[in-house]
Amino acid sequence: MPASHLNQIIAALPLRRGASEPLFRQLYAAIKAAILDGRMSPGMQLPPTRDFCRLLAVSRQTVLNAYALLTAEGYLDGAVGRGTFVSIDVPMAAPAAEADASAPGLLRPLSARGHGVVMAMRQVAYHRGPLRAFRVGMPRIDHFPFDVWNRLEARRWRRPDHHFGYSDPAGYLPLRELLCVYLKASRGVQCTPQQIVITSGSQQALFLLSTILLAPGDPVWMESPGYRGASGPLRAAGARVFPVPVDAQGLDVAYGVAHCPQAKLAYVTPSHQMPLGVSMSLPRRLALLAWAAQHKAWLVEDDYDSEYRYAGAPLASLQSLDRAGCVVYVGTLSKVLFPGLRLGYMVAPPALADALVQAKSVMDRHTAIVPQMALADFIAEGHFGRHIRRTRDSNAERRDLLVRGIARELGDQLACGPADSGLELCAYFRAGHDEETVSRAGLARGIELRPLGHYADPAAGSECATPPGLLLGFAAIPPDEMVHGLQELGRILRGR
């Protein structure tokens, strides 16, 4: 390489004078980058240090220190009287590959599986930032006894034991034992602690189940409209998602049997369908179980907010009716405690439990142990039950406030769907409104309005069509904010 061209390369080396990083470290990094990307090739002789100093206007000691680091790491060779050379042991840089158009900025494309995982959750909406009407999926966090929780965690931190090493991938055994008792009493779930696997939220549970129960191309039933956070893991696993319509009795099992009887798995929210709020009728539950038993299919029962039922006794779980070992019960503590805790669980049929534990150990070895220990203490000391009762009463008050407010202020515009459980309710437009237009107008006015169409599968046919409307969260919304939100919604719907 001509000396003039080499001098140009050296003069262009990036140095940030006045930066906190010393100049010799910057020079070291710049020369190494030039070697690795091929601008300085193996065997090339570098200028004498004095010329280097002149080209970059730095001290000779800066150059000597950079050379010393590069020599120690094998990038440069040199000897007194012979000069300094780029080491011939550094391989020639390969020509840069063109970036894959489907993955901007990547020199190499993602695998088909990786692309599927990345794209699977693109359509799932999570609102962040300050809480405002009518955010969905949020519990009332200000009711949570953080002082009690802090005390329980601090007590565990002060007395570390063998659990602070690597723990059981299935989860902290005392917590699984307590959950076993709680689920049997509150949901009729029949299980042993050995069937429970603690996860980092229900989302991890759904990903694990999709990964180990399904092969690419396997057909699965998915409620439509339904929870997009569940269809994401199914699609990431390469499954062929088949939308099944939902009506007043829940998932239309007969439709699924008629159009996709060979499905390997069905995802359902039988106690409180997301987002329509209906409960699956007993005949539908029995028909679903019969189909799964006959076709050796799996049923994933997502019981995401069953603690919050405001009218009548809690509904028994689908798992409590299972006699064929086909139901995997998935629960979360994000709605009853707080989402940031990231604790959930699965109750697996006995024949599946060990496989899920092994798969869990591959994913993250085990869920963080101290929150599990604190939760076990929280349950054992009675705080869990008291918190559920307190928040259930609070949620019921706010639900009543929202239902009365809609009837009083927006009765001519909205019709409420089922409101006997959960943290939100769906409201259907009485007049012809475009969901997306209303939602965008809400954001412009500082309120969050989730269109029911957000939960529809884009591939679903007209059989899965749902009347246009909104899903409105109420549990976390203070009364003043709810009143404000209803006023703004009224102005939007009336075109003011």
Side-chain angles (χ1 to χ4, degrees):
M1 178 182 290
S4 59
H5 183 58
L6 177 60
N7 289 346
Q8 290 176 1
I9 293 173
I10 294 171
L13 294 176
L15 295 178
R16 304 182 310 280
R17 302 174 193 279
S20 59
E21 185 179 22
L23 278 176
F24 82 89
R25 295 289 307 186
Q26 296 183 46
L27 182 57
Y28 149 80
I31 296 173
K32 182 168 74 171
I35 293 171
L36 291 175
D37 66 21
R39 284 176 290 150
M40 295 182 179
S41 56
M44 178 185 292
Q45 183 174 11
L46 299 187
T49 54
R50 296 184 189 280
D51 292 346
F52 219 120
C53 297
R54 177 179 53 77
L55 289 168
L56 289 173
V58 296
S59 71
R60 186 164 181 261
Q61 192 60 48
T62 295
V63 179
L64 289 173
N65 288 344
Y67 275 17
L69 278 177
L70 290 162
T71 301
E73 294 184 9
Y75 292 98
L76 299 181
D77 289 325
V80 176
R82 190 170 67 88
T84 302
F85 298 81
V86 176
S87 173
I88 60 174
D89 293 329
V90 177
M92 291 286 290
E98 292 187 7
D100 178 65
S102 66
L106 288 179
L107 295 179
R108 297 164 185 81
L110 298 174
S111 68
R113 180 178 59 187
H115 184 73
V117 171
V118 169
M119 298 301 294
M121 295 291 282
R122 286 283 177 90
Q123 301 303 314
V124 179
Y126 293 104
H127 286 294
R128 300 178 178 85
L131 184 67
R132 52 188 177 177
F134 294 94
R135 183 167 299 176
V136 303
M138 279 295 293
R140 184 175 177 180
I141 295 178
D142 63 343
H143 246 29
F144 186 77
F146 285 103
D147 55 339
V148 173
W149 187 268
N150 290 339
R151 175 172 56 80
L152 295 175
E153 275 210 354
R155 186 172 68 191
R156 288 294 183 172
W157 284 118
R158 286 195 300 269
R159 296 184 297 185
D161 57 23
H162 68 280
H163 293 292
F164 277 46
Y166 290 107
S167 299
D168 186 344
Y172 184 51
L173 180 57
L175 174 58
R176 289 186 284 137
E177 291 171 338
L178 288 162
L179 284 174
C180 193
V181 174
Y182 166 71
L183 291 171
K184 183 175 182 179
S186 65
R187 307 293 295 118
V189 172
Q190 302 298 317
C191 67
T192 66
Q194 287 68 39
Q195 292 174 247
I196 297 179
V197 181
I198 304 298
T199 59
S200 300
S202 61
Q203 201 67 40
Q204 185 186 61
L206 296 173
F207 185 79
L208 277 168
L209 291 168
S210 300
T211 301
I212 74 166
L213 298 182
L214 299 171
D218 279 350
V220 299
W221 291 0
M222 176 72 199
E223 298 170 330
S224 184
Y227 175 46
R228 299 291 288 275
S231 61
L234 294 172
R235 288 194 165 89
R240 181 165 57 87
V241 175
F242 181 80
V244 179
V246 176
D247 59 24
Q249 295 187 65
L251 183 84
D252 189 342
V253 179
Y255 180 93
V257 171
H259 294 84
C260 187
Q262 74 281 17
K264 302 296 185 183
L265 180 149
Y267 169 87
V268 289
T269 51
S271 294
H272 184 228
Q273 202 276 333
M274 181 65 173
L276 302 183
V278 300
S279 299
M280 187 181 292
S281 67
L282 180 59
R284 291 276 179 91
R285 292 174 185 237
L286 296 176
L288 181 62
L289 288 165
W291 165 79
Q294 180 182 353
H295 292 271
K296 293 183 170 53
W298 295 102
L299 302 179
V300 176
E301 177 182 13
D302 190 348
D303 206 20
Y304 62 99
D305 64 0
S306 60
E307 289 85 0
Y308 297 126
R309 183 168 175 80
Y310 312 118
L315 299 175
S317 64
L318 183 68
Q319 193 267 4
S320 67
L321 301 173
D322 181 21
R323 299 296 179 266
C326 60
V327 176
V328 183
Y329 179 93
V330 175
T332 180
L333 293 155
S334 293
K335 302 297 187 287
V336 69
L337 300 181
F338 54 96
L341 186 60
R342 304 314 304 146
L343 282 179
Y345 52 89
M346 292 179 282
V347 180
L352 182 62
D354 185 63
L356 283 172
V357 172
Q358 297 305 320
K360 165 72 173 171
S361 69
V362 171
M363 177 168 286
D364 63 0
R365 189 59 181 85
H366 61 81
T367 298
I369 189 63
V370 173
Q372 293 186 64
M373 300 169 84
L375 178 56
D377 295 340
F378 192 75
I379 296 173
E381 295 180 12
H383 306 296
F384 187 69
R386 285 191 291 273
H387 177 65
I388 290 175
R389 290 190 294 272
R390 184 165 58 246
T391 50
R392 185 186 291 127
D393 291 343
S394 169
N395 291 350
E397 291 174 0
R398 292 187 173 184
R399 176 209 59 172
D400 293 345
L401 180 63
L402 179 58
V403 171
R404 289 196 304 268
I406 290 175
R408 183 178 61 253
E409 305 290 340
L410 297 169
D412 60 329
Q413 298 289 331
L414 296 174
C416 290
D420 56 356
S421 59
L423 306 178
E424 52 269 317
L425 64 85
C426 63
Y428 300 101
F429 296 139
R430 293 188 185 276
H433 293 286
D434 179 74
E435 293 177 331
E436 294 295 337
T437 301
V438 172
S439 177
R440 287 193 296 270
L443 287 177
R445 293 172 178 258
I447 60 175
E448 296 173 13
L449 303 171
R450 180 71 59 82
L452 290 180
H454 167 79
Y455 299 93
D457 191 308
S462 58
E463 302 88 349
C464 298
T466 300
L470 304 168
L471 189 66
L472 305 175
F474 57 79
I477 312 304
D480 290 347
E481 178 66 16
M482 193 178 297
V483 171
H484 166 72
L486 287 170
Q487 292 172 345
E488 293 297 336
L489 179 55
R491 295 186 181 102
I492 293 169
L493 296 179
R494 295 187 176 100
R496 296 176 183 172

PDB file of all heavy atoms in Angstrom, residues 334-348:
ATOM      1  N   SER A 334     -49.805 -11.636  38.051  1.00  0.00           N
ATOM      2  CA  SER A 334     -49.703 -10.253  37.608  1.00  0.00           C
ATOM      3  C   SER A 334     -50.973  -9.466  37.883  1.00  0.00           C
ATOM      4  O   SER A 334     -50.925  -8.262  38.140  1.00  0.00           O
ATOM      5  CB  SER A 334     -49.398 -10.206  36.104  1.00  0.00           C
ATOM      6  OG  SER A 334     -48.122 -10.722  35.829  1.00  0.00           O
ATOM      7  N   LYS A 335     -52.127 -10.121  37.814  1.00  0.00           N
ATOM      8  CA  LYS A 335     -53.391  -9.410  37.987  1.00  0.00           C
ATOM      9  C   LYS A 335     -53.792  -9.290  39.447  1.00  0.00           C
ATOM     10  O   LYS A 335     -54.425  -8.317  39.846  1.00  0.00           O
ATOM     11  CB  LYS A 335     -54.499 -10.128  37.206  1.00  0.00           C
ATOM     12  CG  LYS A 335     -54.215 -10.273  35.718  1.00  0.00           C
ATOM     13  CD  LYS A 335     -54.114  -8.931  35.037  1.00  0.00           C
ATOM     14  CE  LYS A 335     -53.989  -9.062  33.527  1.00  0.00           C
ATOM     15  NZ  LYS A 335     -52.684  -9.549  33.092  1.00  0.00           N
ATOM     16  N   VAL A 336     -53.423 -10.285  40.282  1.00  0.00           N
ATOM     17  CA  VAL A 336     -53.833 -10.247  41.681  1.00  0.00           C
ATOM     18  C   VAL A 336     -52.791  -9.532  42.546  1.00  0.00           C
ATOM     19  O   VAL A 336     -53.134  -8.981  43.595  1.00  0.00           O
ATOM     20  CB  VAL A 336     -54.102 -11.671  42.209  1.00  0.00           C
ATOM     21  CG1 VAL A 336     -52.830 -12.475  42.314  1.00  0.00           C
ATOM     22  CG2 VAL A 336     -54.830 -11.630  43.537  1.00  0.00           C
ATOM     23  N   LEU A 337     -51.530  -9.512  42.122  1.00  0.00           N
ATOM     24  CA  LEU A 337     -50.486  -8.783  42.856  1.00  0.00           C
ATOM     25  C   LEU A 337     -50.059  -7.568  42.027  1.00  0.00           C
ATOM     26  O   LEU A 337     -50.662  -6.529  42.121  1.00  0.00           O
ATOM     27  CB  LEU A 337     -49.317  -9.715  43.173  1.00  0.00           C
ATOM     28  CG  LEU A 337     -49.683 -10.938  44.045  1.00  0.00           C
ATOM     29  CD1 LEU A 337     -48.462 -11.786  44.329  1.00  0.00           C
ATOM     30  CD2 LEU A 337     -50.362 -10.521  45.338  1.00  0.00           C
ATOM     31  N   PHE A 338     -49.033  -7.722  41.181  1.00  0.00           N
ATOM     32  CA  PHE A 338     -48.676  -6.623  40.286  1.00  0.00           C
ATOM     33  C   PHE A 338     -47.821  -7.185  39.154  1.00  0.00           C
ATOM     34  O   PHE A 338     -47.047  -8.131  39.353  1.00  0.00           O
ATOM     35  CB  PHE A 338     -47.945  -5.489  41.023  1.00  0.00           C
ATOM     36  CG  PHE A 338     -46.733  -5.916  41.809  1.00  0.00           C
ATOM     37  CD1 PHE A 338     -45.456  -5.823  41.267  1.00  0.00           C
ATOM     38  CD2 PHE A 338     -46.868  -6.389  43.109  1.00  0.00           C
ATOM     39  CE1 PHE A 338     -44.349  -6.207  42.000  1.00  0.00           C
ATOM     40  CE2 PHE A 338     -45.758  -6.775  43.848  1.00  0.00           C
ATOM     41  CZ  PHE A 338     -44.495  -6.685  43.290  1.00  0.00           C
ATOM     42  N   PRO A 339     -47.934  -6.636  37.926  1.00  0.00           N
ATOM     43  CA  PRO A 339     -47.264  -7.212  36.763  1.00  0.00           C
ATOM     44  C   PRO A 339     -45.749  -7.264  36.874  1.00  0.00           C
ATOM     45  O   PRO A 339     -45.116  -8.177  36.337  1.00  0.00           O
ATOM     46  CB  PRO A 339     -47.707  -6.295  35.611  1.00  0.00           C
ATOM     47  CG  PRO A 339     -48.994  -5.703  36.067  1.00  0.00           C
ATOM     48  CD  PRO A 339     -48.850  -5.542  37.556  1.00  0.00           C
ATOM     49  N   GLY A 340     -45.153  -6.279  37.555  1.00  0.00           N
ATOM     50  CA  GLY A 340     -43.700  -6.245  37.651  1.00  0.00           C
ATOM     51  C   GLY A 340     -43.105  -7.398  38.425  1.00  0.00           C
ATOM     52  O   GLY A 340     -41.899  -7.647  38.337  1.00  0.00           O
ATOM     53  N   LEU A 341     -43.911  -8.132  39.164  1.00  0.00           N
ATOM     54  CA  LEU A 341     -43.410  -9.272  39.935  1.00  0.00           C
ATOM     55  C   LEU A 341     -42.962 -10.400  39.026  1.00  0.00           C
ATOM     56  O   LEU A 341     -42.034 -11.138  39.359  1.00  0.00           O
ATOM     57  CB  LEU A 341     -44.495  -9.765  40.890  1.00  0.00           C
ATOM     58  CG  LEU A 341     -44.118 -10.867  41.877  1.00  0.00           C
ATOM     59  CD1 LEU A 341     -42.986 -10.418  42.787  1.00  0.00           C
ATOM     60  CD2 LEU A 341     -45.331 -11.275  42.703  1.00  0.00           C
ATOM     61  N   ARG A 342     -43.615 -10.579  37.872  1.00  0.00           N
ATOM     62  CA  ARG A 342     -43.281 -11.613  36.884  1.00  0.00           C
ATOM     63  C   ARG A 342     -43.281 -13.004  37.492  1.00  0.00           C
ATOM     64  O   ARG A 342     -42.306 -13.751  37.395  1.00  0.00           O
ATOM     65  CB  ARG A 342     -41.935 -11.340  36.202  1.00  0.00           C
ATOM     66  CG  ARG A 342     -41.789 -10.002  35.517  1.00  0.00           C
ATOM     67  CD  ARG A 342     -42.954  -9.619  34.665  1.00  0.00           C
ATOM     68  NE  ARG A 342     -43.272 -10.620  33.641  1.00  0.00           N
ATOM     69  CZ  ARG A 342     -44.501 -10.883  33.221  1.00  0.00           C
ATOM     70  NH1 ARG A 342     -45.544 -10.265  33.773  1.00  0.00           N
ATOM     71  NH2 ARG A 342     -44.708 -11.774  32.296  1.00  0.00           N
ATOM     72  N   LEU A 343     -44.365 -13.375  38.131  1.00  0.00           N
ATOM     73  CA  LEU A 343     -44.536 -14.726  38.638  1.00  0.00           C
ATOM     74  C   LEU A 343     -45.830 -15.313  38.088  1.00  0.00           C
ATOM     75  O   LEU A 343     -46.880 -14.665  38.110  1.00  0.00           O
ATOM     76  CB  LEU A 343     -44.582 -14.752  40.172  1.00  0.00           C
ATOM     77  CG  LEU A 343     -43.248 -14.640  40.908  1.00  0.00           C
ATOM     78  CD1 LEU A 343     -43.468 -14.658  42.408  1.00  0.00           C
ATOM     79  CD2 LEU A 343     -42.298 -15.764  40.511  1.00  0.00           C
ATOM     80  N   GLY A 344     -45.743 -16.521  37.584  1.00  0.00           N
ATOM     81  CA  GLY A 344     -46.897 -17.264  37.120  1.00  0.00           C
ATOM     82  C   GLY A 344     -46.677 -18.731  37.412  1.00  0.00           C
ATOM     83  O   GLY A 344     -45.698 -19.109  38.074  1.00  0.00           O
ATOM     84  N   TYR A 345     -47.555 -19.567  36.923  1.00  0.00           N
ATOM     85  CA  TYR A 345     -47.412 -20.997  37.205  1.00  0.00           C
ATOM     86  C   TYR A 345     -48.223 -21.802  36.201  1.00  0.00           C
ATOM     87  O   TYR A 345     -49.150 -21.293  35.555  1.00  0.00           O
ATOM     88  CB  TYR A 345     -47.867 -21.328  38.628  1.00  0.00           C
ATOM     89  CG  TYR A 345     -49.242 -20.820  38.990  1.00  0.00           C
ATOM     90  CD1 TYR A 345     -50.380 -21.589  38.744  1.00  0.00           C
ATOM     91  CD2 TYR A 345     -49.404 -19.557  39.561  1.00  0.00           C
ATOM     92  CE1 TYR A 345     -51.644 -21.111  39.059  1.00  0.00           C
ATOM     93  CE2 TYR A 345     -50.665 -19.075  39.873  1.00  0.00           C
ATOM     94  CZ  TYR A 345     -51.779 -19.858  39.621  1.00  0.00           C
ATOM     95  OH  TYR A 345     -53.027 -19.384  39.918  1.00  0.00           O
ATOM     96  N   MET A 346     -47.840 -23.052  36.060  1.00  0.00           N
ATOM     97  CA  MET A 346     -48.592 -24.030  35.286  1.00  0.00           C
ATOM     98  C   MET A 346     -48.945 -25.199  36.194  1.00  0.00           C
ATOM     99  O   MET A 346     -48.149 -25.575  37.055  1.00  0.00           O
ATOM    100  CB  MET A 346     -47.759 -24.573  34.124  1.00  0.00           C
ATOM    101  CG  MET A 346     -47.442 -23.596  33.040  1.00  0.00           C
ATOM    102  SD  MET A 346     -46.427 -24.373  31.737  1.00  0.00           S
ATOM    103  CE  MET A 346     -44.811 -24.375  32.521  1.00  0.00           C
ATOM    104  N   VAL A 347     -50.120 -25.778  35.989  1.00  0.00           N
ATOM    105  CA  VAL A 347     -50.479 -27.048  36.600  1.00  0.00           C
ATOM    106  C   VAL A 347     -50.594 -28.036  35.452  1.00  0.00           C
ATOM    107  O   VAL A 347     -51.518 -27.951  34.630  1.00  0.00           O
ATOM    108  CB  VAL A 347     -51.798 -26.964  37.387  1.00  0.00           C
ATOM    109  CG1 VAL A 347     -52.126 -28.321  38.001  1.00  0.00           C
ATOM    110  CG2 VAL A 347     -51.704 -25.896  38.477  1.00  0.00           C
ATOM    111  N   ALA A 348     -49.648 -28.960  35.368  1.00  0.00           N
ATOM    112  CA  ALA A 348     -49.576 -29.884  34.240  1.00  0.00           C
ATOM    113  C   ALA A 348     -50.151 -31.236  34.612  1.00  0.00           C
ATOM    114  O   ALA A 348     -50.099 -31.638  35.785  1.00  0.00           O
ATOM    115  CB  ALA A 348     -48.126 -30.045  33.798  1.00  0.00           C
TER     116      ALA A 348
END
